[in-house]
Amino acid sequence: MPTLVVVGAQWGDEGKGKVVDVLASKADIVARFAGGNNAGHTLVVEGQQIITHLVPSGCTYPGTICALGSGMVIDPVVFREEVESLQALGLLQGDELRVSLGAHLIFDFHRALDGLREDRASTHDNQIGTTRRGVGPAYEAKAGRRGIRVRDLFDANRLRERLLQCKAVADPEFERLGHDHRVDVDRLLSDAAEWARWLEPMVGDIGEECQQGIDAGKRVLFEGAQGAMLDVDHGTYPFVTSSNAISGGVCTGIGIGPTQIDDVWGITKAYTTRVGAGPFPTRLDGAEGNGLRKAGNEYGATTGRPRDCGWLDLPALRYAARVNGMSGLCVTKLDVLAELPRIQLCTAYEDGRLPGKDDLALARPVLETIEGWDDPDVGPALRAARTREQIPAPVRAYLDRISDAVGVPVVLASVGPGREETITLADAFEG
Ligand code: GDP
Ligand code: IMO
Ligand code: MG
């Protein structure tokens, strides 16, 4: 079974970076298929924290191909800075990086529009709470057929044409918003020539490279960004990102067919977090929410914003399992729950509401209190556990409960941020 998709099963920040880093030890290719530098994926290797935003989280393994697919939106300035800072750490010293010619680019005017729109929305109380990285405006240009792709960097005439199209749409909006930013076609053309020189050795057809790898029996890991509930089609629209974060996004965002996907592993925290606006049925206000944020150190890896925290939401997780066709569940941050005086679990919503069907903002959780974690031995034993047998009994019961409710086996449990703080319950790439 050479392909495995790893996706977020909640509202992002589930620990995809950590899990991908663990699984990438077996992979030949790690490819991102959606999103941009709205993502922040954290790896902790030998005590050192690395946060990736665009570069796939297989970047710590020399020789492992790290590919950015056509479904992504890439800010060339951010990408170069990220690559250079990883290189300064001694990573990516060879020719591991690949960038799709079909990926779209984020320019300064996309970023400016994102921020200005958010500022304006805040005065009308309808902010999305975006990461302000220009991701929404870049996908909007893509759907509007005026987007600028990596391949356009290598064709000055086409690039000028596209920039003029973008200018015709963006400049009047800047004016309306009372801002003096304008699309500077000449400056961007000159910047683009430099980006093209730098990117040239990495660009290619990622779908073709992944397919060739699959055909040759190589192990290909597709790394998701964001999470199911932020998916533009299946999440809590309009409080979503602008791309397909679910496993189906691999086909469109890489350029391979659904029959090429063998396994889909969804990542969930042992509780739930969300950053940005929008419905969150199990959100905890007050002391309990603050306690969870403190115990889990829940601050955004990209923007540093405090994440809202709440109990694990089984109906939302069941929904995420369906829209992703999930074959395995990875549960992270179990150690955090051991810090809390009381743990609850959302088993259903009142009135029989369901995510994806009814307005999630109106859903009120039915909560159950979980027993057994208040034993002072549970926390230390859990953090030290490396095998199924070493997992304390109440934690094992919690995992079984989740697995039964979602209908998907738990294949990996994470008990700390470090690569080694991981319990593997099923082999990846083994089917
Ligand atoms: P991603 O966007 O899904 O890759 O997740 P983020 O990196 O944005 O956020 C996850 C945070 O949880 C990071 O700070 C990780 O280092 C951390 N983390 C991941 N797994 C665990 C775990 O099992 N326990 C603890 N305590 N922290 C974890
Ligand atoms: P990773 O990959 C958590 C959220 C933003 C906002 C909404 C739209 O690290 O899990 P955008 O900038 O995409 O237009 O913002 O989506 N968001 C994320 N939340 N983790 C992420 O990525 C996110 N990427 C976007 O907070 O609510
Ligand atoms: Mg993140």
Side-chain angles (χ1 to χ4, degrees):
M1 290 285 196
T3 64
L4 170 64
V5 181
V6 171
V7 282
Q10 300 174 302
W11 278 273
D13 301 331
E14 300 90 348
K16 296 176 292 293
K18 166 178 169 161
V19 172
V20 168
D21 170 59
V22 169
L23 301 175
S25 67
K26 290 183 168 183
D28 300 295
I29 302 175
V30 181
R32 271 266 310 261
F33 58 89
N37 59 312
N38 47 354
H41 296 177
T42 313
L43 341 175
V44 178
V45 183
E46 289 166 14
Q48 184 180 26
Q49 187 185 70
I50 297 166
I51 300 178
T52 63
H53 299 284
L54 288 163
V55 173
S57 303
C59 59
T60 64
Y61 301 97
T64 298
I65 300 297
C66 288
L68 285 72
S70 60
M72 290 186 70
V73 284
I74 300 170
D75 184 324
V77 178
V78 173
F79 182 50
R80 186 167 182 168
E81 276 172 15
E82 185 173 331
V83 170
E84 288 175 352
S85 70
L86 290 169
Q87 286 172 337
L89 294 174
L91 306 172
L92 299 174
Q93 297 293 342
D95 69 339
E96 293 94 345
L97 281 172
R98 303 282 189 278
V99 176
S100 169
L101 283 163
H104 281 248
L105 293 165
I106 297 181
F107 287 156
D108 58 350
F109 62 88
H110 297 115
R111 283 195 299 270
L113 276 178
D114 199 355
L116 285 169
R117 287 175 183 175
E118 280 289 301
D119 288 343
R120 185 175 170 98
S122 71
T123 63
H124 294 78
D125 220 18
N126 58 355
Q127 241 179 342
I128 301 287
T130 74
T131 59
R132 298 173 178 249
R133 300 300 193 258
V135 168
Y139 279 119
E140 192 180 305
K142 171 180 174 172
R145 291 167 293 196
R146 61 178 184 280
I148 298 158
R149 297 189 293 173
V150 170
R151 66 169 77 255
D152 299 329
L153 294 177
F154 302 94
D155 182 336
N157 288 334
R158 194 166 56 203
L159 181 59
R160 175 183 290 279
E161 201 179 297
R162 287 284 152 77
L163 283 169
L164 287 169
Q165 280 178 297
C166 288
K167 186 175 176 64
V169 175
D171 281 3
E173 186 172 350
F174 282 124
E175 226 167 298
R176 259 197 324 278
L177 291 167
H179 199 272
D180 57 9
H181 194 110
R182 296 292 178 271
V183 177
D184 186 340
V185 174
D186 289 334
R187 183 180 52 75
L188 288 170
L189 277 168
S190 114
D191 289 350
E194 173 54 25
W195 296 329
R197 260 192 300 282
W198 184 74
L199 277 167
E200 211 266 333
M202 308 174 207
V203 299
D205 182 339
I206 300 307
E208 180 64 26
E209 181 151 2
C210 288
Q211 187 65 57
Q212 281 181 9
I214 294 166
D215 293 344
K218 291 191 176 163
R219 289 162 164 183
V220 187
L221 201 168
F222 297 108
E223 174 182 356
Q226 290 80 51
M229 304 308 279
L230 288 172
D231 181 277
V232 66
D233 286 298
H234 304 286
T236 51
Y237 192 87
F239 300 100
V240 293
T241 191
S242 301
S243 61
N244 285 114
I246 62 166
S247 58
V250 169
C251 298
T252 52
I254 294 289
I256 59 158
T259 50
Q260 303 303 303
I261 297 174
D262 296 311
D263 265 312
V264 178
W265 286 9
I267 319 294
T268 177
K269 282 177 181 160
Y271 49 96
T272 308
T273 64
R274 175 166 204 173
V275 61
F280 179 0
T282 63
R283 176 190 280 121
L284 289 166
D285 296 319
E288 222 166 9
N290 290 336
L292 196 40
R293 181 178 311 113
K294 188 158 175 262
N297 191 26
E298 294 295 352
Y299 295 89
T302 293
T303 59
R305 290 179 291 175
R307 297 172 181 146
D308 287 339
C309 299
W311 301 123
L312 187 64
D313 182 335
L314 289 178
L317 206 50
R318 252 193 312 269
Y319 174 75
R322 176 177 69 74
V323 296
N324 279 296
M326 215 185 272
S327 57
L329 198 54
C330 306
V331 184
T332 63
K333 302 199 101 161
L334 282 158
D335 53 307
V336 173
L337 289 188
E339 308 276 309
L340 305 179
R342 156 176 107 139
I343 301 170
Q344 292 195 302
L345 181 64
C346 168
T347 55
Y349 303 143
E350 285 177 8
D351 308 328
R353 286 181 183 279
L354 288 171
K357 288 215 166 58
D358 300 294
D359 185 353
L360 212 56
L362 300 175
R364 289 163 51 85
V366 176
L367 294 172
E368 192 182 297
T369 300
I370 302 295
E371 308 292 342
W373 289 60
D374 49 356
D375 182 325
D377 293 337
V378 166
L382 178 60
R383 280 188 292 275
R386 297 293 177 265
T387 64
R388 181 194 295 272
E389 296 66 37
Q390 291 168 347
I391 303 175
V395 181
R396 235 182 302 163
Y398 187 66
L399 293 174
D400 289 344
R401 185 76 205 283
I402 297 170
S403 174
D404 289 348
V406 179
V408 176
V410 176
V411 290
L412 183 149
S414 174
V415 296
R419 183 188 274 175
E420 68 292 351
E421 293 170 306
T422 308
I423 302 157
T424 306
L425 301 166
D427 287 331
F429 302 106
E430 295 297 322

